[in-house]
Amino acid sequence: MRTERESRRARPGAAAEGMADRRVLSREECESILERAHGFARGGGETRVVVTSWWQGELRWGRNRVSLSSDRRDIVLGIERKVVDGRPSGTLNVTTNQLDDGFIEAAVRAAERKSLLGIDPGWGLGDYPPLPEYPPYVGAPVWSDATFNLTTEARGEVVRAMIAAVEAEGLLSAGYLEVRGASAMSKGTEAPELRQGELAFWDLPYSVWTHAQLSITVRDSTGGGSGWAALASYDWNRIDPEALTERAIQKCVASRNPVALEPGRYTVILEPQAVADLIQPLVDSLASREDAERPSASPWYLGPDEHLGLHRSKLGMKVVDSRISISHDPSDPSLGIVAAPMETPGTVTWIDRGVLTNLGFGLSTDVKWLEGWHTLRGPLAYRMSGGDTTIEEMIASTRRGLLVTRFSNIRKLDDVSLLCTGLTRDGLWLIENGQITKAVKNFRFTESPLFVLNNVEQLGEPVPVFRPVLHPFLGGPMPAMVPALKVRDFSFTSLVDAV
Amino acid sequence: MGITRRELLKAGVGAVALAAVPRPVLAYFGRGPEPVPPIRDPRIKELAFRAVEAARSAGASYVDVRLTHDRARSFSLASLTNIGDTEELTVGVRALVDGYWGFAGGSVWSPEEMVRLGREAVRHARIHALGPARAVELAPRPVVTDAHWQTPVEIDPFEVSPFEIVDYLKGLEYFVARDPQFSLGHNLTRFELREEAFACSDGSYLTQRLYSTEGLATLSYTPEPGQQIRWSVEGLDRASVGWELYKGQPLRDRIERLMEEMREHWKLPVKPVDVGRYAVVFDARSVAGLIDATLGSATELDRALGYEANADGTSYLNDPLAMLGSFEVAHPALTLTGNRSEPGGAATVRWDAEGVEPDEFTIVRDGVLTDFQTTRESAGWLAEYYRGRGQPVRSHGCAVAESGNHAPLQRRPNLVVSPGKESLDFDDLVEGIEEGLAIKGLQIEMDFQGLNGLGLGERVYEVKRGKPVARIIGAGLLFRAPELWKGLTALGGPGSTRRYGLETRKGQPTQVGYHSVTAPAAAFEQVTVIDVLRKA
């Protein structure tokens, strides 16, 4: 190792060069960085190091012209040192983006000095039996060469064709295409009492992934109509730019000259994107079992059981329509995520045929309860079950209702009922006697995903939806498969004349 | 508990050494890696112009380069103590070829990387210049050479011992905990220091050293078991200041006043909302939020012309050239200006991300729309209007890049709502209400055109004969921006104005930005009040 270090110092700019050519750090590079960082630790104690690298190719356009094409990349190195009697320096205490020996050593020193200031956050551990060795998480693929190798020229061609199609209709488009590649790896010696084997359950073995997103908004120049279509996936080949453009154009044209309707309760046909937008607060609420088992604002808190002296959650109770399940199967090729070894290796079902069967554990509870020795999260990626009714069939069976493209600006109003408010956007149509008859002005809704999933009449086939938000820590994909739904008694509370 | 000095000495590290955490970042200037020098070092200028030259040689008609050296230190107390330090170098090159922009960014400061980025940015622009024609005219600005500016701060937070900061923040917790019904839920502070260099193909070169600080202290009041209200202490909003954000104001007085307000709030009888139209008095924070969410967003010129349609949305002021100078957006009492020069403003700089020295400009004068927020490129879109009024065609300096590794984007400047002439404050305005509502700390949800809004908040009071008599549960406001601002009946005086730091996210990819909004309290008539939790 010393030789390697010396040789790096002898070749000025070598590390920089290496980084400059490579968009994403390789396994060998990550291992070397982690080893070097660990090697610089002085004074005993424990060390945790995480290195992540990312690259993005971006293409943004507005008013039918590309406004910016970019290539950006960065590296993040986080170091945590614990040198004094149970005082770690805080989570990823020193973070930076430079990788040379001199800098890494200085960062490790900085973390050590900070360690003296820190206060033990306490993992809430106590005495636990040794944990089993965790093999790396094996899930569906999250790397696609098609995404990583979509060149600047290819991106330009894709977007030129999309813009040309919109211009041919005399309309205006704005949109965004992004491809991203990233890698990450962590290695630590912290919490040795919980380690057994090479990887602790929270460590991340070398992981590499890609992510692509494409979205387009088409508007007519008088501003009367607006259409939108988008998709995100780890694999660029699953995104069809032509189909998205066609859909956005069709929705723009069909949404011109909208009429105002009275707010009220309507039967609605929610396209899959609208369903995904609406149920996000519910998906988020599945992350905390701790909250559901104590008096709290969790929708899953049931109440106190005086006899047992406990607070009970709704686990085991039917909470939504029995045709609805929300689950994640790691081997499902549409639902690949980047995960640490501690992720549950098999399928997790949070809602099984309407019954709440699982809620995610927080980290300290993981260690306390250690059910199955793996962690259970709320859904990062998920599949919502559906049926086989097509949207056309749903429309045909509707005497009077509204067809919704998507929702926007959603805000939760009440944590317990999950009552939310938000807006329809980019296409809302009136259905009368089985036919779409008019474009309708946007509405503000006041509705709860929990109530909506209890008022389901028909379900479609689950399809991938646009979920560009990436995992908060790792930035990996969070795909979802969601069906269209026909729902009764959906509450629209006011008219919104925005387009 | 915090670490004691004795324990520290036992560990063998002096307190002095702790205060100066060594800088880990290194740069390459040609020989080997060296610690990054202060931003005014001429070698940084050399690096920057190497990127400019590489892009020029590759065929760019315009190039600008930003290098940033960012440090951040954040403290998070209350349930855990967490202290985070980050230090980063970023660099980005933006190039213009035949009306198309290209951008390349990274994290390495070396001569080779500068050349790579310069060429890469041009390559991106060229690829799109093959498509349909596009024109970019950059509004002129003076060439600035070798100028430097630093945010004037009283206390550099990075030179204050972290011990002192932790002790001070912990002290706030103990101060609050004297009353067993109160506790400090959040107790966070964050200091940022950016040293940046800007170089341009027209020969401009400037450097800035910018400080930005923000805190959050949330009081939790538990008047009865099972009931809790949580309000944040005012005065810790993001600003371009240093540690004086905490030390320079009587924070404990503020906390005590807030505790008193919470007690008074709780004592008031509760009433459910009665839907209808009311006269409403808003506090300065609510007015700041309203102006930012409506006119602040609607007058971003790129947004108004549809460049954000695929992201946050568009603007109801969607025909700028037709509307400027004539469109009444508000009551004649309203005047709204923008600046990036007010001392301590969260968007305050000497030069923006394009090297423009921002000016103070009037967006709304006496209720009429008079200008939009602009950058060098977008200012040209209003050239016809400016020339018609004998005004120079110039950028107002609203270009902001989140880091060197982000392309400049148009963001909001500091916004200022001119106060009324009479010295009325919030309480005076409330006294002027016979029957209506008084609202503090309104939260706002706007639609994607900045047109229709929903207001929500915990602090809604029923006012009868000038006095708050009850607190209202479940009230929401529905408003439409033009009607709201035309319904303005009174503005608070200069004594009622307060400044707030706001965070906004814009663009694809998203960039975070900060700006301040200064506003007085205000009274409005005929505001629609609904039961926000009621379904159709």
Side-chain angles (χ1 to χ4, degrees):
Chain A
M1 197 171 84
R2 188 173 298 172
T3 317
E4 193 193 291
R5 239 194 289 159
E6 275 175 355
S7 71
R8 278 185 188 273
R9 284 205 179 114
R11 288 187 292 132
E17 257 174 44
M19 237 161 63
D21 288 332
R22 311 285 290 271
R23 289 180 283 157
V24 154
L25 292 174
S26 67
R27 179 191 302 274
E28 293 71 33
E29 285 165 330
C30 285
E31 280 170 351
S32 155
I33 290 162
L34 295 176
E35 242 185 271
R36 282 191 283 140
H38 276 270
F40 287 125
R42 297 283 174 274
E46 291 148 22
T47 308
R48 174 162 153 73
V49 186
V50 178
V51 61
T52 60
S53 70
W54 62 263
W55 158 81
Q56 262 179 214
E58 304 154 353
L59 187 49
R60 194 174 198 212
W61 77 94
R63 297 183 75 90
N64 290 342
R65 294 291 179 271
V66 167
S67 43
L68 183 68
S69 171
S70 17
D71 178 294
R72 302 185 311 121
R73 58 193 71 180
D74 202 359
I75 291 174
V76 183
L77 178 64
I79 299 171
E80 181 184 344
R81 286 280 290 132
K82 185 168 121 172
V83 288
V84 177
D85 281 347
R87 288 199 174 84
S89 54
T91 313
L92 300 183
N93 181 256
V94 176
T95 311
T96 186
N97 63 356
Q98 304 297 302
L99 297 181
D100 299 283
D101 276 359
F103 132 75
I104 294 181
E105 182 165 8
V108 172
R109 295 290 154 266
E112 281 159 4
R113 285 173 159 84
K114 295 298 286 306
S115 167
L116 298 167
L117 285 169
I119 292 180
D120 192 339
W123 292 57
L125 300 178
D127 289 321
Y128 293 96
L131 301 176
E133 183 162 344
Y134 289 90
Y137 177 85
V138 174
V142 285
W143 174 270
S144 155
D145 283 336
T147 307
F148 196 62
N149 297 331
L150 189 69
T151 61
T152 316
E153 290 83 350
R155 302 196 290 266
E157 274 168 38
V158 165
V159 168
R160 253 200 297 287
M162 294 172 80
I163 291 175
V166 174
E167 272 193 314
E169 304 290 328
L171 301 168
L172 276 182
S173 70
Y176 183 57
L177 189 166
E178 179 190 286
V179 286
R180 179 182 168 103
S183 70
M185 185 170 178
S186 80
K187 182 175 167 203
T189 58
E190 77 280 19
E193 66 276 11
L194 289 180
R195 289 176 180 270
Q196 181 109 322
E198 211 199 305
L199 287 173
F201 63 75
W202 58 85
D203 273 335
L204 188 68
Y206 180 71
S207 306
V208 65
W209 65 93
T210 52
H211 191 253
Q213 60 165 295
L214 179 60
S215 54
I216 177 169
T217 299
V218 176
R219 296 172 72 82
D220 72 43
S221 44
T222 58
S226 183
W228 172 92
L231 196 58
S233 171
Y234 80 94
D235 181 6
W236 172 253
N237 283 337
R238 292 173 187 224
I239 297 177
D240 184 342
E242 211 179 296
L244 291 177
T245 310
E246 221 178 279
R247 181 146 33 110
I249 289 173
Q250 182 265 321
K251 282 183 181 288
C252 176
V253 169
S255 63
R256 282 166 164 160
N257 304 313
V259 300
L261 281 190
E262 278 297 305
R265 302 231 184 175
Y266 286 83
T267 294
V268 291
I269 295 170
L270 303 177
E271 291 196 356
Q273 188 64 46
V275 177
D277 295 333
L278 185 64
I279 68 169
Q280 188 59 43
L282 186 140
V283 167
D284 290 338
S285 76
L286 294 170
S288 178
R289 180 166 174 165
E290 294 86 347
D291 278 349
E293 290 178 345
R294 63 163 197 240
S296 68
S298 167
W300 315 120
Y301 173 64
L302 183 61
D305 182 322
E306 285 86 11
H307 301 295
L308 296 175
L310 292 176
H311 291 275
R312 295 171 63 215
S313 70
K314 291 182 183 170
L315 276 172
M317 295 176 59
K318 183 166 178 298
V319 292
V320 294
D321 190 289
S322 53
R323 290 167 289 177
I324 292 176
S325 300
I326 293 179
S327 62
H328 182 247
D329 173 3
S331 64
D332 185 331
S334 309
L335 299 180
I337 59 169
V338 181
M342 61 181 173
E343 293 290 335
T344 306
T347 301
V348 178
T349 307
W350 292 272
I351 292 178
D352 187 11
R353 285 161 292 181
V355 175
L356 182 67
T357 48
N358 274 302
L359 288 168
F361 287 101
L363 183 61
S364 59
T365 314
D366 275 335
V367 181
K368 274 185 198 154
W369 293 98
L370 290 173
E371 268 188 29
W373 304 103
H374 281 90
T375 189
L376 193 64
R377 299 270 168 248
L380 293 177
Y382 66 92
R383 171 183 289 270
M384 182 170 148
S385 64
D388 50 18
T389 315
T390 63
I391 293 184
E392 290 70 31
E393 286 164 353
M394 291 181 193
I395 293 171
S397 69
T398 301
R399 196 192 60 76
R400 183 180 165 85
L402 290 169
L403 174 65
V404 179
T405 304
R406 67 166 173 150
F407 294 116
S408 179
N409 306 60
I410 295 178
R411 186 211 169 97
K412 200 164 46 161
L413 295 171
D414 177 53
D415 288 324
V416 174
S417 64
L418 290 180
L419 191 68
C420 297
T421 184
L423 307 166
T424 60
R425 188 172 175 180
D426 295 319
L428 184 66
W429 293 276
L430 179 66
I431 301 163
E432 292 174 298
N433 298 316
Q435 307 254 0
I436 291 182
T437 54
K438 306 186 179 93
V440 173
K441 289 192 179 188
N442 285 309
F443 275 130
R444 169 172 291 286
F445 70 84
T446 305
E447 193 48 270
S448 159
L450 212 43
F451 301 169
V452 164
L453 293 183
N454 272 295
N455 284 347
V456 173
E457 293 195 351
Q458 294 171 309
L459 303 91
E461 199 191 311
V463 295
V465 291
F466 183 65
R467 222 167 161 239
V469 175
L470 299 176
H471 187 282
F473 298 123
L474 299 173
M478 299 214 300
M481 297 285 285
V482 179
L485 292 180
K486 177 171 161 182
V487 169
R488 61 180 169 270
D489 288 339
F490 192 92
S491 155
F492 289 114
T493 43
S494 61
L495 194 66
V496 161
D497 59 344
V499 175
Chain B
M1 267 300 302
I3 188 171
T4 65
R5 304 303 190 265
R6 188 190 306 241
E7 283 162 311
L8 194 71
L9 292 170
K10 243 188 355 198
V13 180
V16 167
L18 268 164
V21 172
R23 291 184 185 176
V25 293
L26 304 171
Y28 293 83
F29 295 109
R31 269 172 307 169
E34 305 174 34
V36 169
I39 199 72
R40 302 190 72 178
D41 192 297
R43 291 172 296 169
I44 296 178
K45 180 177 178 180
E46 251 180 71
L47 277 184
F49 277 105
R50 192 176 281 257
V52 172
E53 276 323 300
R56 288 286 260 163
S57 312
S61 57
Y62 170 90
V63 186
D64 59 26
V65 178
R66 278 152 296 274
L67 289 97
T68 68
H69 175 192
D70 293 327
R71 290 190 62 194
R73 178 172 284 171
S74 59
F75 295 81
S76 166
L77 272 70
S79 49
L80 307 174
T81 294
N82 216 336
I83 302 170
D85 255 344
T86 69
E87 186 162 1
E88 295 178 346
L89 294 182
T90 69
V91 52
V93 180
R94 190 174 66 147
L96 187 62
V97 177
D98 290 338
Y100 280 88
W101 290 106
F103 180 84
S107 54
V108 179
W109 286 14
S110 76
E112 296 79 22
E113 182 71 350
M114 295 301 133
V115 171
R116 183 187 79 81
L117 291 173
R119 291 181 184 157
E120 182 71 2
V122 171
R123 194 177 73 86
H124 277 258
R126 274 199 188 292
I127 283 166
H128 303 292
L130 298 171
R134 186 176 191 268
V136 168
E137 227 184 86
L138 296 177
R141 58 139 173 77
V143 170
V144 181
T145 38
D146 295 321
H148 178 78
W149 186 77
Q150 167 165 328
T151 312
V153 295
E154 286 166 31
I155 311 170
D156 184 337
F158 292 91
E159 282 171 19
V160 178
S161 161
F163 284 121
E164 187 184 323
I165 295 173
V166 171
D167 281 353
Y168 183 90
L169 294 175
K170 268 280 179 232
L172 294 178
E173 281 174 37
Y174 298 135
F175 179 74
V176 168
R178 292 174 311 160
D179 184 328
Q181 291 181 314
F182 285 89
S183 66
L184 213 50
H186 289 116
N187 192 5
L188 318 167
T189 185
R190 182 174 172 84
F191 306 112
E192 292 173 7
L193 169 59
R194 160 164 299 170
E195 288 196 293
E196 62 179 31
F198 171 84
C200 181
S201 48
D202 67 5
S204 283
Y205 184 72
L206 54 93
T207 54
Q208 299 188 93
R209 200 176 143 90
L210 304 171
Y211 287 85
S212 188
T213 298
E214 175 175 15
L216 178 68
T218 308
L219 275 184
S220 287
Y221 174 42
T222 310
E224 295 150 33
Q227 305 283 349
Q228 191 179 75
I229 51 176
R230 312 183 74 194
W231 295 354
S232 295
V233 180
E234 281 207 358
L236 297 176
D237 281 26
R238 184 166 285 259
S240 296
V241 294
W243 180 224
E244 65 268 23
L245 182 69
Y246 280 77
K247 300 290 285 226
Q249 63 166 311
L251 202 52
R252 295 182 179 206
D253 290 349
R254 271 196 198 270
I255 290 174
E256 278 186 327
R257 264 183 286 134
L258 188 62
M259 288 164 82
E260 196 43 46
E261 276 181 48
M262 292 171 101
R263 290 189 197 100
E264 291 301 317
H265 169 91
W266 193 260
K267 284 198 200 117
L268 286 172
V270 174
K271 277 179 88 167
V273 60
D274 196 5
V275 304
R277 298 172 75 115
Y278 292 85
V280 179
V281 172
F282 289 109
D283 73 340
R285 180 174 276 274
S286 308
V287 177
L290 284 167
I291 204 83
D292 192 61
T294 56
L295 291 164
S297 142
T299 55
E300 292 178 27
L301 188 55
D302 59 343
R303 198 185 159 116
L305 291 174
Y307 287 99
E308 292 290 324
N310 192 47
D312 209 41
T314 54
S315 162
Y316 66 96
L317 301 174
N318 53 9
D319 195 353
L321 286 173
M323 292 172 166
L324 278 168
S326 55
F327 194 65
E328 285 172 16
V329 293
H331 187 280
L334 188 76
T335 291
L336 175 68
T337 58
N339 76 78
R340 295 189 70 185
S341 52
E342 59 182 83
T348 293
V349 292
R350 178 78 190 277
W351 298 283
D352 79 351
E354 296 182 303
V356 172
E357 193 168 339
D359 62 342
E360 187 176 325
F361 62 107
T362 308
I363 299 171
V364 175
R365 180 179 285 114
D366 303 326
V368 175
L369 179 66
T370 49
D371 214 338
F372 278 78
Q373 304 162 39
T374 55
T375 57
R376 290 190 71 187
E377 182 176 358
S378 60
W381 303 335
L382 301 180
E384 191 187 306
Y385 170 69
Y386 292 132
R387 289 191 192 116
R389 289 168 71 103
Q391 282 172 248
V393 179
R394 59 152 291 167
S395 157
H396 289 310
C398 299
V400 181
E402 189 188 310
S403 73
N405 201 358
H406 288 85
L409 191 61
Q410 182 176 317
R411 306 307 301 268
R412 289 173 218 165
N414 301 315
L415 297 172
V416 178
V417 176
S418 304
K421 298 200 178 38
E422 299 173 48
S423 62
L424 298 166
D425 66 8
F426 177 77
D427 295 324
D428 296 326
L429 291 172
V430 171
E431 268 171 47
I433 300 277
E434 181 57 32
E435 207 172 299
L437 299 176
I439 300 181
K440 290 191 157 193
L442 188 73
Q443 293 165 35
I444 296 150
E445 295 290 323
M446 292 305 296
D447 68 24
F448 30 85
Q449 220 165 353
L451 183 59
N452 295 275
L454 173 70
L456 312 155
E458 264 191 59
R459 305 184 63 177
V460 178
Y461 304 103
E462 181 185 26
V463 174
K464 277 200 153 55
R465 283 187 294 282
K467 292 244 163 314
V469 295
R471 53 191 168 97
I472 309 287
I473 302 290
L477 312 178
L478 283 184
F479 61 88
R480 206 167 167 279
E483 286 74 36
L484 174 75
W485 292 112
K486 287 182 183 161
L488 186 62
T489 53
L491 277 174
S496 78
T497 63
R498 301 281 183 274
R499 180 166 74 185
Y500 299 95
L502 302 184
E503 177 185 305
T504 54
R505 287 162 189 267
K506 180 177 175 181
Q508 286 170 316
T510 310
Q511 292 193 36
V512 176
Y514 303 100
H515 66 285
S516 295
V517 182
T518 305
F524 295 76
E525 61 180 5
Q526 294 292 304
V527 180
T528 305
V529 176
I530 57 162
D531 180 346
V532 77
L533 297 175
R534 190 190 174 90
K535 293 172 49 158

